[in-house]
């Protein structure tokens, strides 16, 4: 349609043979590239190159247009600013597919889901058609989706035809034949929406390519990615570069440069800020965060008790070693070995708890610094950095699409600048069900997100909000809230029904299309073989999308190139990037949104390529694919990852996390970890699912060291920390563990510190910045990805609003609009999620999520701490995120088994804390050492749980006699343990019941899952047997009347054998001990009491496990308890009959109490 282009017209037939021949010709003639396919509502193909959008066995004739554009910059069909908007319209409605040795295709979809989409940002949004004969393209529209009609006659014309009319038609309207009064599309859009002219912000000149500092040249690298001479990832010359040339020079992601390249280092003085922060310096500087120390009345006795208990344990163990039980040396030996290990394990767990702290944030200061008008930011537009949200899912059967879509809705409605927020969903299963559920969520977000913003809804997960047990009208004052809530509630109910009906809808649709294809194939076969017998035609049963084309991912019936482990890479922009300025709604329509911003954040569906023979590295590989794709498409300097069942419970949690990153010294933080909170847990928390001791005690304590460990979800990352770079000023903060005795001679740095922010090399003495020539060997050969690194590093710096802030950025640096998406950008994102991209790179070994362990989260955090980074624990007043946890005993044991197996893998790998670098503090190293060692405690714990039974069976005890010394030691150790627990409860805020539940499940897990983890870990290390785990189910029970139905379901697993055996043996041993004592001539009551006491200690810890085996309360027959007692008594009597006490003549002998 473009007048400056040359067209070639050809006719072809849509058949299997022609497709195969054409594919072969394309592979021979040109390397893989980007091809656009576009089918109009009338069935013709217009404007872009032909793609296989109908059935492979169809027989529809169509016209194939190929646009030949000479690779010269002077042959551009339209203005670049207009062409960018044109291309983004197509890109946001196109499904991009591709991968290794395959063409990257952009399939323009008329619709994404069966239901109608209305939001203008959403893929497949409906609109009026162009009135030009032969063109069915949608007309131009503004941010609200309303038609832009450039002529007063209201003749409907698309953007392409309008540009043709302006350039080739003399500016005449094709409808009324009158000249257009205004040919500037941008002005028309602004006039139509009724917005005022945007206030011009001071734009600093970009750095020159020839001179300036090295940091300036790094930041200017993003300009080169828009060059017309740049080749794509696949090596194909990208003609779209000339057609859609951009005029942006600041790089994708709103980079901002100063004139002299100095970015807020105090070494350079105030003159180094370019736009100096004098406007901020006139006011008192206020920090964004502060530490809240534990009161001395609590922490001092706590530390003293730890020291006392260490001394008492040492004296007790020395006493135990010296005083042997000569009557049962074997019993004494086992007990002493176990006690030595328990003391060592307790020491590893307790020492990192010496310095617990609390932290608080100040959101008012954050708003004042980043979203308040200043001379450097006159409009008061948000100066906060970009944030990319990652949501990972793999199996729609175990991770219901409704749960995932509600998580996405909570992200889209988060209280963070819309233009700075992007959400990426990784579907590692490549399921059409997840794809269409995402599309439904994007459609419902058009209603839900403005409703949340208008009425300050919390939480912003619709399912959780509408199921709140508290009064939903509390503190709501707007008169239309009740009406709006009723409308949105009805829409959400319909939305849930659509989500629940998607599996049947997809299956019925696929069956219908498959039947149509079989009929077409039979007709074609009859035409080719008129007199011959027609054999049944076998056609692969494909899975079909809503627009009547094959789904490129996993089919319901697996086929080659369409299975869970064999499918192409897929990227679909569900919601295109929002406009830079707020877009308010109107009073007409579903809700009154007059003063509400109706924009939605960028939403992208990603399913990485999978092929047989490649190790895809499970969740870690999926997360690394998202890191690379997001770096190319939005390049937010910060990343927050969530599991599909963890949603944003506090809409301001993102801002609270950003307070730490943007505060003074925040550039040395690699991540901010939020605690995990769970819903749907039984009130008694039988299996310690809340895990409050770990999240509120251990993690707070680690926050006083180098920071908490990474626990897999609810974590805000600094992107360059994931890239494997060292923290800024690492040489200053980490001189080495022996620097006091053997100080290193400092080399004079030749490069200013702010220009050495991107540095790899661990303990290397080289002070030079990263060698860019070696970057492709580390990150892969994507120039887009490599060029985005310095930009994300600069944007993630704290604000240089104080002389003490080193390595900062000037105020107002991130207020520049981001560039629009183009086809080459998304095509490059397809390339970096291909299965071959990580070959011969450092992805998974040093960069991104680390491979080689089922607990990749702990290893990833350990690597960052090992390089000298610090982390922070952010406990918000209102829970930041909430998720689900398995309340069934079997599921809970399997979850603990996976964690413990990962810890064993860490212990036997080079990630062992014994091998940590000198940059890691000693107490932090002890904490990581405990992470790798704690599963081995199960070996000694199981032995110790059998010792009371062995004592009762043999009539001996671990000590010769229960003398006063042993009892005093035991009493002091028990009292100090209880006092430490009470003080931990005091400074952490947990309850005594939660502490006791944790102790109980420590023994349950230690005698079951931890032992199995040690065995599996040893098998992997010694025999090389790989460990496979299944996803933990996120779906609830089938009993709709009881939300805790899963709690009572008994699912047998071999992990239950050791605890069951321990319980049975101890119960029988108690009965045998009593019988032996009663029947003996001289009863040994002291030994009986000692054995019975420890047996009851074991049974008390295993009580929740026993309740889990009994199933639902009231459903266990009474006869079970009766028979259990009779069997125990019978075995006891048999034991006494087989081995009767010597010299006994009557029951009980000389029965006397000691």
């Amino acid at each position: 349609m473009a007048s400056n282009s040359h067209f070639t017209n050809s006719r072809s037939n849509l058949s299997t043979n022609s497709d195969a021949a054409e594919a072969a010709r394309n592979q021979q003639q040109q390397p893989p590239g980007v091809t656009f396919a576009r089918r109009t509502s009338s069935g013709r193909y217009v404007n872009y190159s032909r793609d296989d959008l109908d059935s492979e066995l169809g027989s529809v004739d169509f016209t194939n247009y190929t646009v030949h554009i000479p690779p010269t910059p002077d042959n551009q069909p339209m203005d670049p600013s207009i062409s960018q908007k044109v291309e983004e319209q197509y890109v946001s409605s196109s499904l991009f597919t591709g991968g290794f040795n395959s063409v990257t295709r952009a399939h323009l979809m008329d619709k994404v889901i069966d239901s109608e989409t209305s939001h203008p940002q959403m893929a497949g949004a409906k609109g009026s058609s162009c009135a030009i004969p032969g063109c069915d393209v949608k007309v131009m529209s503004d941010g609200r989706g309303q038609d832009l009609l450039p002529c007063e006659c209201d003749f409907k014309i698309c953007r392409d035809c309008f540009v043709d009319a302006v350039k080739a038609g003399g500016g005449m309207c094709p409808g009324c034949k009158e000249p257009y009064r205004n040919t500037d599309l941008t002005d028309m859009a602004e006039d139509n929406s009724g917005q005022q002219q945007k206030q011009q912000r001071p734009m600093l000149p970009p750095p020159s390519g020839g001179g300036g500092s090295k940091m300036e040249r790094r930041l200017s690298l993003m300009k080169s990615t828009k060059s017309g001479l740049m080749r794509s990832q696949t090596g194909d010359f990208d003609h779209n570069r000339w057609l859609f040339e951009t005029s942006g020079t600041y790089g994708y992601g709103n980079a901002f440069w100063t004139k002299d390249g100095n970015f807020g280092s105090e070494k350079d003085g105030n003159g180094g800020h370019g736009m100096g922060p004098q406007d901020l310096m006139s006011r008192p500087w206020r920090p964004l965060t502060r530490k809240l120390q534990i009161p001395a009345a609590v922490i001092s006795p706590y530390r003293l008790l730890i020291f006392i208990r260490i001394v008492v344990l040492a004296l007790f163990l020395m006493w135990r070693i010296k005083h042997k039980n000569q009557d049962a040396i074997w019993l004494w030996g086992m007990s002493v070995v176990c006690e030595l290990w328990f003391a060592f394990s307790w020491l590893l767990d307790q020492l990192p708890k010496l310095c617990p702290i609390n932290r608080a944030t100040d959101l008012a200061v954050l708003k004042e610094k980043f979203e308040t008008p200043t001379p450097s930011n006159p409009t008061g537009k948000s100066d906060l950095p970009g944030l990319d949200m990652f949501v990972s899912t793999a199996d729609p059967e175990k991770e219901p699409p409704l749960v995932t879509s509600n998580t996405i809705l909570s992200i889209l409605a988060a209280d963070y600048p819309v233009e700075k927020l992007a959400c990426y969903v990784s579907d590692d299963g490549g399921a059409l069900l997840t794809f269409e559920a995402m599309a439904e969520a994007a459609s419902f977000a058009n209603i839900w997100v403005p409703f949340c913003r208008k009425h300050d809804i919390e939480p912003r997960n619709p399912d959780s909000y509408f199921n709140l047990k508290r009064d939903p009208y509390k503190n709501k004052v707007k008169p239309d809230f009740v009406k709006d809530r009723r409308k949105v509630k009805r829409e959400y109910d319909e939305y849930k029904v659509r989500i629940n009906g998607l599996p049947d809808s997809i299956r019925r649709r696929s069956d219908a299309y498959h039947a149509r294809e079989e009929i077409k194939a039979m007709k074609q076969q009859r035409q080719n073989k008129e007199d011959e017998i027609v054999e049944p035609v076998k056609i692969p049963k494909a899975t079909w999308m809503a627009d009547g084309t094959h789904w490129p991912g996993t089919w319901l019936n697996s086929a080659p190139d369409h299975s869970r482990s064999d499918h192409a890479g897929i990227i679909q922009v569900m919601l295109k990037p929002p406009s830079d300025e707020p877009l308010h709604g109107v009073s007409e329509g579903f809700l009154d949104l007059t003063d509400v911003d109706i924009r939605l954040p960028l939403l992208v569906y990603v399913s990485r390529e999978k092929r047989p023979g490649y190790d895809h590295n499970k969740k870690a590989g999926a997360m690394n694919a998202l890191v690379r794709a997001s770096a190319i498409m939005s390049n937010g300097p910060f990343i927050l990852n969530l599991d599909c069942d963890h949603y944003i419970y506090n809409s301001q949690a993102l801002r609270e996390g950003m307070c730490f990153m943007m505060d003074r010294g925040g550039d040395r933080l690699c991540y901010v970890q939020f605690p995990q909170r769970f819903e749907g847990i039984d009130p008694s928390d039988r299996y310690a699912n809340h895990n409050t001791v770990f999240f509120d005690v251990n993690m707070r304590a680690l926050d006083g060291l180098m920071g908490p460990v990474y626990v897999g979800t609810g974590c805000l990352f600094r992107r360059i920390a994931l890239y494997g770079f060292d923290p800024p000023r690492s040489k200053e903060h980490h001189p080495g563990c022996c620097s006091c005795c053997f100080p290193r001679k400092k080399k004079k740095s030749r490069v200013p510190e702010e220009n050495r922010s991107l540095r790899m090399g661990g303990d290397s003495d080289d002070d030079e910045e990263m060698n860019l020539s070696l970057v492709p060997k580390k990150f892969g050969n994507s120039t887009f990805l490599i060029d985005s690194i310095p930009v994300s590093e600069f944007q993630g710096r704290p604000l240089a609003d104080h002389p003490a802030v080193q390595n900062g950025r000037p105020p107002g640096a991130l207020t520049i609009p981001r560039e629009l998406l183009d086809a080459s950008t998304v095509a490059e994102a397809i390339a970096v999620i291909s299965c071959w991209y990580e070959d011969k790179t450092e992805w998974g070994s040093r960069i991104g999520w680390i491979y080689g362990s089922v607990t990749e989260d702990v290893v990833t955090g350990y690597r960052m701490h090992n390089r000298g980074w610090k982390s922070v624990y952010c406990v918000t007043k209102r829970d930041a995120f909430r998720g689900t946890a398995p309340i069934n005993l079997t599921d809970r044991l399997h979850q603990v088994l996976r964690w413990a197996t990962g810890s064993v893998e860490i212990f036997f790998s080079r990630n062992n804390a014994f091998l940590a670098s000198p940059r890691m503090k000693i107490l932090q190293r002890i904490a990581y050492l405990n992470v790798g060692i704690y599963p081995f405690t199960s070996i000694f714990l199981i032995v110790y749980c059998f010792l009371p039974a062995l004592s009762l069976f043999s009539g001996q005890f671990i000590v010769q006699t229960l003398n006063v010394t042993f009892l005093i030691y035991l009493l002091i150790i028990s009292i100090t343990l209880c006092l430490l627990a009470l003080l931990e409860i005091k400074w952490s805020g947990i309850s005594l019941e939660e502490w006791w539940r944790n102790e109980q499940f420590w023994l349950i897990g230690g005698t079951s899952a931890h032992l199995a983890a040690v065995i599996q870990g040893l098998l992997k290390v010694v025999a090389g047997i790989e460990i496979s785990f299944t996803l933990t189910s996120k779906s609830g029970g089938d009993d709709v009347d009881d939300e805790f139905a899963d709690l009572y379901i008994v699912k047998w697993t071999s992990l239950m054998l050791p605890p069951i055996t321990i319980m049975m043996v101890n119960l029988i041993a108690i009965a045998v001990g009593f019988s032996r004592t009663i029947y003996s001539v001289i009863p040994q009551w002291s030994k009986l009491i000692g054995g019975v006491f420890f047996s009851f200690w074991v049974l008390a810890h295993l009580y929740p496990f026993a309740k889990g085996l009994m199933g639902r309360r009231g459903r266990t027959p009474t006869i079970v308890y009766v028979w259990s007692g009779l069997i125990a008594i019978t075995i006891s009597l048999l034991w006494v009959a087989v081995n009767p006490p010597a010299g006994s003549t009557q029951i009980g002998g000389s029965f006397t109490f000691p």
Side-chain angles (χ1 to χ4, degrees):
M1 194 177 299
S3 59
N4 292 339
S5 302
H6 306 282
F7 293 89
T8 59
N9 190 352
S10 63
R11 307 281 294 181
S12 67
N13 188 280
L14 196 60
S15 63
T16 307
N17 296 334
S18 63
D19 281 351
E22 183 180 356
R25 288 194 302 271
N26 289 338
Q27 291 181 357
Q28 293 174 0
Q29 294 176 359
Q30 59 184 9
V34 184
T35 60
F36 263 94
R38 192 162 178 289
R39 184 178 60 182
T40 65
S41 58
S42 61
R44 291 178 293 102
Y45 291 81
V46 180
N47 242 2
Y48 282 25
S49 61
R50 171 182 169 261
D51 195 5
D52 188 32
L53 298 183
D54 206 341
S55 165
E56 295 181 356
L57 298 174
S59 57
V60 180
D61 290 337
F62 68 96
T63 303
N64 181 15
Y65 292 102
T66 304
V67 183
H68 295 283
I69 304 175
T72 55
D74 57 347
N75 187 13
Q76 297 187 19
M78 63 183 74
D79 183 72
S81 62
I82 301 176
S83 64
Q84 277 190 307
K85 297 180 180 180
V86 176
E87 184 169 12
E88 187 181 51
Q89 178 183 356
Y90 291 130
V91 168
S92 61
S93 296
S94 300
L95 181 74
F96 283 77
T97 60
F100 183 51
N101 285 336
S102 61
V103 175
T104 300
R105 298 180 180 274
H107 162 45
L108 190 66
M109 303 181 68
D110 288 335
K111 63 177 181 177
V112 182
I113 51 178
D114 292 327
S115 56
E116 184 175 350
T117 59
S118 57
H119 197 279
Q121 285 182 240
M122 185 176 174
K126 299 300 180 182
S128 303
S129 297
C130 179
I132 297 294
C135 178
D136 294 318
V137 183
K138 304 302 177 185
V139 302
M140 298 174 289
S141 60
D142 61 7
R144 296 184 178 84
Q146 299 176 356
D147 293 343
L148 290 178
L149 305 178
C151 185
E152 295 179 354
C153 68
D154 291 341
F155 181 80
K156 295 182 178 181
I157 187 171
C158 68
R159 192 181 296 265
D160 291 347
C161 294
F162 174 74
V163 173
D164 280 346
V166 171
K167 291 190 174 184
M172 304 292 290
C173 173
C176 63
K177 307 303 180 183
E178 295 290 333
Y180 287 116
R181 293 186 178 182
N182 188 2
T183 58
D184 190 345
L185 296 176
T186 305
D187 292 343
M188 283 194 299
E190 292 180 357
D191 294 341
N192 187 77
S193 60
Q195 296 180 351
Q196 297 178 353
Q197 283 287 358
K198 303 175 184 178
Q199 184 175 356
Q200 295 295 324
R201 293 185 295 275
M203 303 290 288
L204 296 182
S208 60
S213 65
K214 293 183 178 179
M215 176 57 69
E216 287 178 328
R217 292 198 296 272
R218 283 187 199 164
L219 292 172
S220 66
L221 286 175
M222 284 303 293
K223 182 179 179 180
S224 66
T225 64
K226 299 300 177 183
S227 170
L229 300 178
M230 181 66 66
R231 292 184 177 271
S232 67
Q233 172 64 39
T234 56
D236 179 39
F237 185 88
D238 196 344
H239 295 282
N240 288 328
R241 295 290 183 161
W242 292 120
L243 179 60
F244 303 121
E245 182 70 14
T246 73
S247 59
T249 57
Y250 290 93
Y252 194 80
N254 317 337
F256 189 94
W257 291 273
T258 58
K259 296 181 179 180
D260 52 5
N262 294 321
F263 299 104
S265 174
E266 61 177 347
K267 302 175 184 178
D268 300 314
N270 291 337
H273 294 296
M275 294 178 64
Q278 287 80 7
D279 56 307
L280 295 175
M281 295 294 294
S282 60
R283 291 175 287 179
W285 185 84
R286 299 167 61 190
L288 293 170
T289 63
R290 65 185 187 275
K291 290 183 181 180
L292 304 177
Q293 300 293 340
I294 306 297
V298 176
I299 195 63
S300 297
Y302 181 74
R303 292 169 178 166
L304 179 63
L305 278 173
I306 292 176
F307 176 75
I308 292 174
R309 196 164 195 266
I310 291 174
V311 174
V312 173
L313 278 175
L315 295 175
F316 172 70
L317 292 174
M318 292 173 59
W319 183 88
R320 288 281 283 124
I321 293 172
K322 291 179 180 179
H323 296 77
K324 302 178 182 178
N325 185 358
Q326 299 296 338
D327 296 335
I329 195 70
W330 57 274
L331 197 62
W332 169 85
M334 287 192 297
S335 62
V336 168
V337 171
C338 292
E339 288 162 4
L340 285 170
W341 180 266
F342 292 151
F344 173 68
S345 178
W346 176 82
L347 203 61
L348 292 181
D349 181 67
Q350 199 67 45
L351 285 179
K353 297 179 182 178
L354 289 172
C355 307
I357 61 170
N358 293 319
R359 299 181 187 270
T361 60
D362 195 333
L363 295 179
V365 176
L366 183 77
K367 185 174 183 62
E368 177 185 333
K369 288 188 176 184
F370 292 90
E371 296 178 330
T372 303
T374 61
S376 57
N377 182 16
T379 61
K381 186 180 177 183
S382 177
D383 196 23
L384 288 170
L387 177 59
D388 294 340
M389 304 282 295
F390 292 174
V391 179
S392 58
T393 182
D395 188 347
E397 294 183 0
K398 293 187 177 181
E399 298 169 332
L402 184 61
V403 174
T404 304
S405 61
N406 282 329
T407 298
I408 296 170
L409 288 170
S410 71
I411 294 173
L412 299 179
D415 184 9
Y416 200 79
V418 182
E419 66 276 9
K420 304 295 182 72
L421 190 63
C423 178
Y424 295 84
V425 181
S426 170
D427 178 17
D428 224 25
L432 180 59
L433 176 57
T434 305
F435 177 84
E436 295 200 359
M438 266 193 63
E440 289 286 357
S443 178
F444 180 69
N446 186 31
I447 301 171
W448 173 250
V449 174
F451 170 70
C452 292
R453 292 172 181 165
K454 178 181 179 181
H455 298 289
D456 295 325
I457 299 300
E458 293 287 355
R460 299 191 175 182
N461 176 329
D463 191 68
S464 298
Y465 171 71
F466 289 120
N467 288 323
L468 286 176
K469 296 181 180 179
R470 58 179 173 82
D471 182 13
Y473 306 106
K474 185 178 181 180
N475 299 327
K476 301 301 180 185
V477 296
K478 292 186 178 181
D480 56 349
F481 171 70
V482 176
K483 179 185 65 175
D484 290 350
R485 186 179 187 275
R486 188 183 303 116
K487 290 180 179 179
V488 175
K489 177 64 168 63
R490 176 167 180 169
E491 289 293 324
Y492 178 65
D493 291 338
E494 296 177 357
Y495 162 77
K496 285 198 298 185
V497 172
R498 291 197 302 270
I499 294 288
N500 295 332
L502 280 178
D504 291 337
S505 174
I506 294 172
R507 190 174 296 106
R508 288 195 304 267
R509 180 202 308 151
S510 300
D511 290 343
Y513 278 114
H514 180 69
R516 188 196 69 174
E517 294 303 313
E518 286 184 334
I519 295 173
K520 287 183 179 180
M522 292 181 63
K523 288 182 178 179
Q524 187 175 3
Q525 192 175 28
R526 289 193 184 98
Q527 293 176 359
N528 297 335
K529 302 179 181 180
E530 298 179 355
D531 300 329
E532 298 180 9
I533 299 176
V534 178
E535 298 179 356
V537 180
K538 293 183 179 180
I539 301 176
K541 194 170 184 180
T543 300
W544 295 75
M545 294 188 289
D547 68 338
T549 59
H550 285 180
W551 168 243
T554 302
W555 288 355
L556 298 176
N557 302 96
S558 297
D561 295 332
H562 296 284
S563 63
R564 287 181 59 86
S565 59
D566 184 13
H567 62 80
I570 307 170
I571 291 181
Q572 170 72 60
V573 180
M574 289 290 182
L575 292 171
K576 67 180 181 181
S579 58
D580 187 55
E581 296 295 331
L583 183 65
H584 297 295
V586 295
S587 59
E588 302 175 358
F590 190 76
L591 301 175
D592 184 2
L593 304 174
T594 305
D595 298 323
V596 181
D597 189 358
I598 62 172
R599 294 176 300 163
L600 299 177
L602 171 68
L603 177 61
V604 183
Y605 171 90
V606 179
S607 182
R608 58 179 173 148
E609 183 191 19
K610 287 189 172 182
R611 298 300 178 193
Y614 284 87
D615 185 3
H616 301 293
N617 296 298
K618 303 181 178 67
K619 179 183 176 181
M623 299 305 292
N624 284 339
L626 285 186
V627 171
R628 296 190 295 270
S630 63
I632 291 173
M633 297 183 68
S634 57
N635 197 29
F638 297 101
I639 295 171
L640 195 148
N641 78 295
L642 292 174
D643 288 343
C644 65
D645 61 324
H646 275 71
Y647 67 92
I648 298 179
Y649 188 74
N650 180 357
S651 63
Q652 292 191 328
L654 308 183
R655 292 177 176 269
E656 297 212 30
M658 205 58 68
C659 285
F660 293 101
M661 292 294 191
M662 293 290 102
D663 205 6
R664 183 171 60 184
D667 59 334
R668 294 182 49 79
L669 295 181
C670 55
Y671 60 81
V672 176
Q673 178 66 61
F674 294 86
Q676 292 186 21
R677 306 301 186 197
F678 302 101
E679 295 178 333
I681 307 297
D682 55 296
S684 63
D685 194 14
R686 180 185 293 177
Y687 305 124
N689 291 97
H690 285 297
N691 218 356
T692 50
V693 172
F694 174 76
F695 287 114
D696 290 322
V697 178
N698 297 69
M699 298 286 273
R700 287 177 192 262
L702 290 176
D703 198 16
L705 305 176
M706 292 183 69
V709 298
Y710 168 43
V711 294
T713 183
C715 189
L716 177 65
F717 283 100
R718 185 178 297 275
R719 184 180 286 271
I720 62 166
L722 277 173
Y723 286 163
F725 292 105
D726 295 338
R729 306 177 299 283
S730 58
K731 302 295 180 182
E732 301 173 11
H733 288 258
H734 302 281
C737 60
C738 301
S739 59
C740 297
C741 302
F742 304 99
R744 296 180 180 178
K745 184 178 179 181
K746 290 188 177 181
K747 297 173 63 177
K748 187 176 181 180
S749 176
R750 291 171 291 173
V751 184
E753 180 58 45
E754 62 269 16
N755 292 348
R756 291 186 281 115
S757 300
L758 296 177
R759 181 173 56 200
M760 285 184 178
D763 299 327
S764 173
D765 291 330
D766 184 14
D767 283 339
E768 290 296 334
E769 68 274 14
M770 179 184 63
N771 188 350
L772 294 179
S773 63
L774 300 177
V775 172
K777 298 180 180 179
K778 299 176 181 293
F779 293 89
N781 58 351
S782 171
T783 54
F784 279 54
L785 176 61
I786 295 171
D787 294 344
S788 71
I789 295 174
V791 177
S792 63
E793 187 277 329
F794 172 76
Q795 294 176 2
R797 297 180 181 183
L799 204 64
D801 59 347
H802 192 274
V805 177
Q806 300 185 33
N807 196 38
R809 61 174 173 85
L814 303 184
T815 59
I816 303 173
R818 70 168 69 184
E819 294 180 7
L820 302 177
L821 286 177
D822 59 9
S824 58
T825 300
V826 185
E828 188 75 4
I830 283 286
V832 298
I833 65 171
S834 62
C835 58
W836 58 269
Y837 184 82
E838 294 183 355
D839 289 351
K840 299 180 181 180
T841 67
E842 293 188 0
W843 284 98
S845 61
R846 180 186 175 94
I847 300 173
W849 271 257
I850 306 301
Y851 302 153
S853 174
V854 295
T855 51
E856 72 287 333
D857 45 6
V858 177
V859 178
T860 303
Y862 166 80
R863 290 290 187 87
M864 296 181 186
H865 285 139
N866 203 33
R867 288 193 291 269
W869 289 95
K870 292 183 178 180
S871 59
V872 162
Y873 197 52
C874 181
V875 182
T876 56
K877 185 176 181 180
R878 177 185 175 88
D879 293 346
F881 310 101
R882 283 193 178 181
T884 59
I887 61 175
N888 180 264
L889 176 59
T890 303
D891 294 338
R892 176 71 164 136
L893 290 178
H894 282 140
Q895 183 186 56
V896 174
L897 172 63
R898 178 165 53 85
W899 295 343
T901 304
S903 296
V904 176
E905 292 175 342
I906 292 172
F907 181 79
F908 287 111
S909 70
R910 64 190 184 99
N911 298 308
N912 192 313
F914 282 122
L915 307 176
S917 72
R919 297 182 177 185
M920 185 176 291
K921 295 182 179 179
I922 183 64
L923 291 182
Q924 188 81 17
R925 190 178 306 195
I926 291 175
Y928 274 112
L929 184 62
N930 186 45
V931 169
I933 282 181
Y934 82 89
F936 294 95
T937 304
S938 61
I939 301 173
F940 304 93
L941 186 60
I942 288 181
V943 173
Y944 211 73
C945 288
F946 279 112
L947 285 182
L950 295 175
S951 175
L952 292 171
F953 281 135
S954 63
Q956 301 296 331
F957 195 52
I958 58 176
V959 294
Q960 191 80 31
T961 58
L962 288 176
N963 54 25
V964 176
T965 306
F966 176 78
L967 293 177
I968 290 177
Y969 275 127
L970 192 62
L971 183 63
I972 295 176
I973 291 172
S974 301
I975 290 177
T976 52
L977 177 65
C978 294
L979 291 177
L980 283 173
L982 291 175
L983 289 174
E984 283 184 359
I985 290 171
K986 183 70 175 177
W987 61 255
S988 65
I990 65 175
S991 65
L992 182 61
E993 182 183 7
E994 290 172 330
W995 179 87
W996 172 239
R997 288 297 186 206
N998 181 79
E999 292 296 307
Q1000 286 180 313
F1001 197 79
W1002 169 77
L1003 192 139
I1004 294 172
T1007 55
S1008 56
H1010 294 177
L1011 179 64
V1014 172
I1015 296 173
Q1016 289 187 353
L1018 291 174
L1019 287 175
K1020 181 178 180 180
V1021 173
V1022 176
I1025 300 175
E1026 288 294 330
I1027 306 165
S1028 61
F1029 291 95
T1030 57
L1031 282 173
T1032 303
S1033 177
K1034 273 74 172 181
S1035 58
D1038 297 331
D1039 192 347
V1040 296
D1041 298 328
D1042 189 355
E1043 60 177 322
F1044 306 124
D1046 278 352
L1047 184 68
Y1048 310 109
I1049 298 175
V1050 181
K1051 296 184 286 187
W1052 174 255
T1053 174
S1054 58
L1055 298 177
M1056 296 179 177
L1057 282 175
I1060 291 175
T1061 305
I1062 291 172
M1063 284 193 304
M1064 294 291 294
V1065 170
N1066 276 277
L1067 286 172
I1068 294 173
I1070 292 173
V1072 169
F1074 271 108
S1075 302
R1076 176 184 294 279
T1077 304
I1078 292 174
Y1079 276 90
S1080 63
V1081 177
I1082 304 176
Q1084 300 290 329
W1085 288 101
S1086 61
K1087 295 181 179 179
L1088 174 66
I1089 291 173
V1092 170
F1093 173 79
F1094 283 106
S1095 289
F1096 272 117
W1097 177 85
V1098 173
L1099 294 174
H1101 281 76
L1102 290 175
Y1103 175 71
F1105 178 82
K1107 287 188 67 176
L1109 294 179
M1110 295 176 186
R1112 186 181 294 274
R1113 185 184 302 108
R1115 293 187 179 181
T1116 304
T1118 307
I1119 193 65
V1120 172
Y1121 303 103
V1122 176
W1123 277 104
S1124 299
L1126 290 175
I1127 291 173
I1129 295 173
T1130 303
I1131 294 176
S1132 305
L1133 295 175
L1134 286 174
W1135 183 276
V1136 174
V1138 172
N1139 187 18
S1144 63
T1145 56
Q1146 57 182 355
I1147 296 178
S1150 55
F1151 183 84
T1152 57
F1153 284 98

